[in-house]
Amino acid sequence: MADRPEGSAAKGDNRPKLSLHVPEPKFRPGDTVDFSHIDVPEAGSMARPDETCNPAEMRDMAYGLVRVLGEDDQAHGPWDPKLDPDTLRAMLGHMAMTRAFDERMFRGQRQGKTSFYMKCTGEEATSVSASMALAADDMVFPSYRQQGILIQRGYPMIEMINQIYSNKGDKLKGRQLPIMYSSREHSFFTISGNLATQTPQAVGWAMASAIKGDSRIAATWVGEGSTAEGDFHSACTFATVYNAPVILNVVNNQWAISSFSGFAGAERTTFAARALGYGLAGLRVDGNDPLACYAAEQWAANRARANAGPTLIEFFTYRAEGHSTSDDPSGYRSAQERSEWPLGDPVMRLKNHLIAIGEWDEERQEKMDLEAAEHVKKVTKEAEANGILGHGLHHPFRTMFEDVFEELPWHLKEQSAQAIRERETKFPGGLDL
Ligand SMILES: Cc1ncc(C[n+]2csc(CCOP(=O)(O)OP(=O)(O)O)c2C)c(N)n1
Ligand SMILES: [Mg+2]
């Protein structure tokens, strides 16, 4: 019998064999990085539609890139939010504080004071600047990389560190992974490690706000990798169907631990373009341009407040450091990526802008950085008095059974008693039970 013709799928079938595409990042460790394929349009070149416009008119905004700060460090075009110098300096201050906080907490993990930390280096504008464009009581549903929101909203830093150290001052009693904060007073929804769950929650909260005739809107932040989760798509459907007053911020830092953005669909289209299929307003924004981040969030907030509909914003940025303290990016990506990244550093860009408009100088910057580092150091010392990892100054063991049921059911009482008995046997008199 003659062999099956080459390239055919099955016997007697001359249709071509099917093949599957498996995405592969452009650069691996040791590779020379060339980002010339990334289109960086001129600052100020994108039109700014009216906040109440039809999403169908926003195609360009979903595929292009909203940019305000140009190579000349000046603000350009219709998206310039025209913030006064005091506001710009405050924005710079929050970003500098976020960076100082990240540095110290990262070192704390390396010194064994906590088990885990996640930095947001290079992505500060996507939380700080966006948060500044919202009202303080708008409800935010962040992921784990938006510590900048808490810093901008004035959440006491000692609470953040107590939580990271899971010590006796931790209001969450050690029940959450370090950095998974929660603050009702700061309209900051409890962070969940289950990716993308915050997106339908934000939409649901926004729907409830509208049902109640309230004036507060909701905003959520989700990583580009997490948009591959079904929850994100349910969130988009509910948002568009009910015209929920919500902002869906997608932080495209191009990596999801060691998986590059291609696995979430970035080889095919932009994340902002997802909006078009749902009939949502979609904006793709230079995430390292603090003014563009502010302007886009403000546009979306105005739209939501006017009952004109939800917005999906893609912040195009780059995760400059490892995913977390448990990660080593040198194992899967080229170390050159960070320095070759064409959109620069958000802190430097805002600093250079302030200097260019005559409202800042290098000495003041040095002082700001020093004061931020000193502040974090001082608060860290205060938090350390409440305990660090492994020093026993945590909430008593038995508290893990508390706060869930009004009255502890019999089977949990039994489990609690057994757990305490076993612990007493293992560490006689040594641990706070
Ligand atoms: C449902 C779910 N799947 C997988 C994980 C493991 N995980 C934690 S973070 C992460 C990467 C997420 O990447 P991305 O959404 O791009 O956010 P980024 O970390 O870049 O900010 C993964 C896969 C998880 N926590 N939850
Ligand atoms: Mg990511």
Side-chain angles (χ1 to χ4, degrees):
M1 200 187 288
D3 281 348
R4 169 154 54 103
E6 191 130 342
S8 72
K11 195 176 170 189
D13 180 352
N14 61 4
R15 289 176 298 184
K17 240 196 284 188
L18 298 172
S19 68
L20 202 63
H21 171 71
V22 180
E24 181 59 34
K26 283 198 159 37
F27 316 108
R28 285 296 193 187
D31 287 350
T32 304
V33 171
D34 176 6
F35 278 137
S36 57
H37 61 283
I38 296 180
D39 188 22
V40 182
E42 197 139 329
S45 58
M46 180 66 76
R48 184 186 186 281
D50 188 84
E51 284 95 333
T52 57
C53 80
N54 185 331
E57 295 164 26
M58 298 184 65
R59 223 189 122 78
D60 289 351
M61 286 109 225
Y63 288 102
L65 203 59
V66 173
R67 304 183 72 229
V68 174
L69 285 175
E71 299 302 315
D72 58 358
D73 298 323
Q74 297 289 348
H76 297 273
W79 285 94
D80 176 6
K82 299 202 184 325
L83 299 174
D84 61 64
D86 282 341
T87 307
L88 291 175
R89 280 187 288 260
M91 191 184 278
L92 185 66
H94 296 316
M95 292 207 294
M97 189 63 81
T98 304
R99 197 161 279 190
F101 185 71
D102 275 2
E103 283 308 319
R104 188 138 203 112
M105 292 302 105
F106 182 87
R107 265 195 286 145
Q109 192 278 337
R110 292 299 191 246
Q111 292 163 348
K113 293 174 184 171
T114 177
S115 56
F116 187 74
Y117 191 71
M118 297 177 101
K119 288 175 148 188
C120 66
T121 316
E123 301 174 39
E124 291 88 350
T126 66
S127 55
V128 168
S129 307
S131 176
M132 283 178 78
L134 298 173
D137 60 352
D138 285 335
M139 189 72 191
V140 297
F141 293 75
S143 89
Y144 42 71
R145 224 182 281 284
Q146 281 79 47
Q147 51 268 51
I149 299 177
L150 282 176
I151 288 174
Q152 187 274 326
R153 287 195 165 183
Y155 184 62
M157 191 173 277
I158 189 155
E159 305 288 2
M160 295 173 85
I161 307 176
N162 285 338
Q163 200 281 332
I164 291 168
Y165 288 169
S166 311
N167 62 22
K168 67 181 168 67
D170 172 16
K171 291 210 167 116
L172 305 181
K173 303 186 181 177
R175 293 167 190 180
Q176 286 267 85
L177 187 76
I179 69 139
M180 302 217 166
Y181 318 102
S182 172
S183 176
R184 185 191 291 266
E185 298 74 30
H186 294 79
S187 300
F188 187 96
F189 195 76
T190 314
I191 297 172
S192 168
N194 304 321
L195 299 176
T197 49
Q198 72 274 25
T199 57
Q201 290 164 354
V203 176
W205 192 96
M207 287 168 63
S209 189
I211 290 167
K212 286 188 280 193
D214 203 330
S215 62
R216 290 171 297 166
I217 62 169
T220 182
W221 280 253
V222 67
E224 90 295 338
S226 306
T227 64
E229 282 287 338
D231 270 0
F232 174 75
H233 299 274
S234 303
C236 291
T237 303
F238 272 85
T240 194
V241 167
Y242 296 101
N243 215 41
V246 67
I247 308 171
L248 302 158
N249 296 295
V250 175
V251 182
N252 177 9
N253 64 7
Q254 301 178 64
W255 289 92
I257 314 185
S258 55
S259 293
F260 85 115
S261 56
F263 282 103
E267 288 179 327
R268 307 295 181 208
T269 186
T270 69
F271 291 95
R274 302 271 186 282
L276 298 172
Y278 289 103
L280 298 165
L283 290 173
R284 188 160 176 269
V285 178
D286 177 346
N288 290 25
D289 176 340
L291 298 189
C293 292
Y294 181 99
E297 198 75 13
Q298 187 185 43
W299 186 95
N302 290 344
R303 181 174 176 86
R305 271 187 237 289
N307 283 311
T311 304
L312 191 167
I313 299 176
E314 173 187 349
F315 291 118
F316 189 46
T317 180
Y318 182 74
R319 196 195 75 207
E321 305 229 354
H323 172 73
S324 71
T325 48
S326 312
D327 180 41
D328 174 11
S330 71
Y332 55 80
R333 69 180 191 184
S334 173
Q336 262 189 22
E337 284 195 8
R338 182 177 181 168
S339 52
E340 291 301 313
W341 170 242
L343 297 178
D345 175 83
V347 181
M348 293 299 287
R349 284 176 73 184
L350 186 55
K351 175 193 117 175
N352 291 341
H353 173 59
L354 271 161
I355 293 175
I357 59 173
E359 293 289 349
W360 199 239
D361 52 54
E362 294 290 353
E363 287 93 81
R364 275 188 277 182
Q365 182 68 42
E366 246 175 63
K367 190 162 173 275
M368 176 184 266
D369 289 339
L370 195 68
E371 282 173 2
E374 288 298 322
H375 177 72
V376 180
K377 192 171 161 188
K378 181 175 141 277
V379 183
T380 303
K381 288 266 170 304
E382 283 166 32
E384 284 178 7
N386 294 326
I388 57 171
L389 180 73
H391 283 215
L393 283 174
H394 42 66
H395 282 274
F397 186 66
R398 65 184 146 71
T399 60
M400 82 161 91
F401 292 91
E402 296 172 359
D403 303 328
V404 178
F405 295 95
E406 192 175 0
E407 205 178 314
L408 206 61
W410 65 268
H411 68 288
L412 288 184
K413 277 187 192 153
E414 280 189 12
Q415 279 183 29
S416 167
Q418 184 185 346
I420 289 172
R421 251 195 336 270
E422 285 175 7
R423 217 159 154 86
E424 270 168 343
T425 315
K426 203 170 170 193
F427 307 103
L431 286 174
D432 187 4
L433 299 169

